[in-house]
Amino acid sequence: SQQGEEDPQALSIQEGENATMNCSYKTSINNLQWYRQNSGRGLVHLILIRSNEREKHSGRLRVTLDTSKKSSSLLITASRAADTASYFCATAPNQAGTALIFGKGTTLSVSS
Amino acid sequence: DTEVTQTPKHLVMGMTNKKSLKCEQHMGHRAMYWYKQKAKKPPELMFVYSYEKLSINESVPSRFSPECPNSSLLNLHLHARQPEDSALYLCASSQEGSGVSYEQYFGPGTRLTVT
C-alpha cells in the first residue's frame, strides 16, 4: 500500500532553475527517504531525514520535514539535464520495521 | 562494494514455465527486499527477509516464492505467471537494526515480460 503522495506528478524546467517536489504521508514515521530513478533502472538513495530532524542538505539537495503536517519537500538547486529522472519519497512507518512505502513519484524533466 | 546485482536483466516467459530471478549483495546487509514496479508506478514491496528469514510477505500470490539461501543471495522463483506479472522486479538490501529503516541499495532490476 502507498502512503506517500508526491506533488507535482510531473515537472518541466530549464537547466539552472530550481526544482521543488513535495511529499505528504499519513502515519507516524521514524524517517523519510528520497530516491531517484532513471528511466527503467534501479533506484538510487539520495537522502534520509529522521523524524527529529527538520532540514538536511546534501550537495545541491535540500530536504525539509514537517512531522506536524506530515509532509516533506525536496529542493534541487541549479538543476542539470542529468537530473532528469523520477523522484520518490519513501516513508518508514514506525510499526513497519525496515520496510519502506513509496509515494507515487514526481517525474522531473530538465531541458538544456 | 556498494553494488546489488540482479540476473537476468530481461526475462520473457510463457505462462506455464518456471524461472528464477537472482539477487546478490556483498555489503554485509542482513535485510533484503523484493519489489515489483509497473510502468510509471512506484515500487511495491513484495517480500522482506531479515537475517535470512522471511519477515514480511505483502499478500503476494503463491505463484511467487522467495528464497534466501544465505546472507548474500536472494532468489524469487516464478511459477505459472499471469500477464499482470509483467513488470520490473527490483531487489534491494539494507542494514538491519531492530525495526529501524536504513537507506536501501537497489539492483538494476529484472524486466519480466509474460507472453
Side-chain angles (χ1 to χ4, degrees):
Chain A
S1 60
Q2 287 153 28
Q3 133 145 284
E5 293 278 339
E6 274 98 331
D7 166 48
Q9 288 188 9
L11 183 58
S12 293
I13 59 174
Q14 299 284 323
E15 266 193 326
E17 294 180 338
N18 296 342
T20 300
M21 290 160 253
N22 303 297
C23 168
S24 59
Y25 57 92
K26 296 173 185 171
T27 65
S28 59
I29 58 172
N30 66 58
N31 67 58
L32 185 144
Q33 303 178 33
W34 285 90
Y35 288 81
R36 185 188 75 222
Q37 184 178 34
N38 290 84
S39 182
R41 305 177 79 171
L43 281 77
V44 174
H45 181 266
L46 295 176
I47 200 163
L48 180 154
I49 186 165
R50 293 184 174 78
S51 59
N52 61 354
E53 297 176 309
R54 291 296 166 258
E55 188 170 312
K56 204 161 183 181
H57 297 255
S58 176
R60 292 184 297 113
L61 306 180
R62 171 177 168 254
V63 167
T64 62
L65 179 65
D66 186 335
T67 52
S68 66
K69 295 181 180 177
K70 293 188 168 57
S71 67
S72 174
S73 68
L74 170 67
L75 168 67
I76 304 174
T77 60
S79 62
R80 306 166 182 167
D83 295 327
T84 295
S86 293
Y87 292 81
F88 296 95
C89 69
T91 50
N94 280 331
Q95 306 305 318
T98 60
L100 289 178
I101 302 174
F102 285 84
K104 293 181 179 178
T106 293
T107 300
L108 174 65
S109 297
V110 182
S111 53
S112 52
Chain B
D1 181 4
T2 59
E3 191 180 18
V4 175
T5 58
Q6 289 187 245
T7 55
K9 284 189 169 52
H10 301 277
L11 188 58
V12 179
M13 304 177 64
M15 285 191 271
T16 55
N17 47 346
K18 300 176 187 177
K19 292 287 185 183
S20 297
L21 309 186
K22 298 183 184 301
C23 174
E24 190 167 6
Q25 56 89 15
H26 294 286
M27 292 177 276
H29 290 163
R30 303 308 296 272
M32 295 186 76
Y33 313 81
W34 280 115
Y35 291 89
K36 175 183 176 181
Q37 186 178 27
K38 303 283 274 184
K40 299 189 189 303
K41 297 289 187 183
E44 290 185 9
L45 183 67
M46 299 175 73
F47 302 104
V48 180
Y49 272 83
S50 175
Y51 293 95
E52 295 95 72
K53 288 186 171 33
L54 183 64
S55 62
I56 295 178
N57 175 342
E58 288 286 336
S59 303
V60 179
S62 58
R63 61 182 181 273
F64 294 90
S65 60
E67 178 197 19
C68 191
N70 60 53
S71 60
S72 299
L73 293 174
L74 187 65
N75 298 322
L76 185 64
H77 304 296
L78 312 178
H79 316 269
R81 281 135 315 284
Q82 302 290 322
E84 62 265 28
D85 297 338
S86 295
L88 183 67
Y89 288 84
L90 293 162
C91 173
S93 71
S94 74
Q95 295 178 56
E96 159 64 88
S98 302
V100 175
S101 288
Y102 294 91
E103 62 179 286
Q104 294 186 12
Y105 292 78
F106 282 79
T110 292
R111 185 161 299 283
L112 173 67
T113 302
V114 177
T115 59

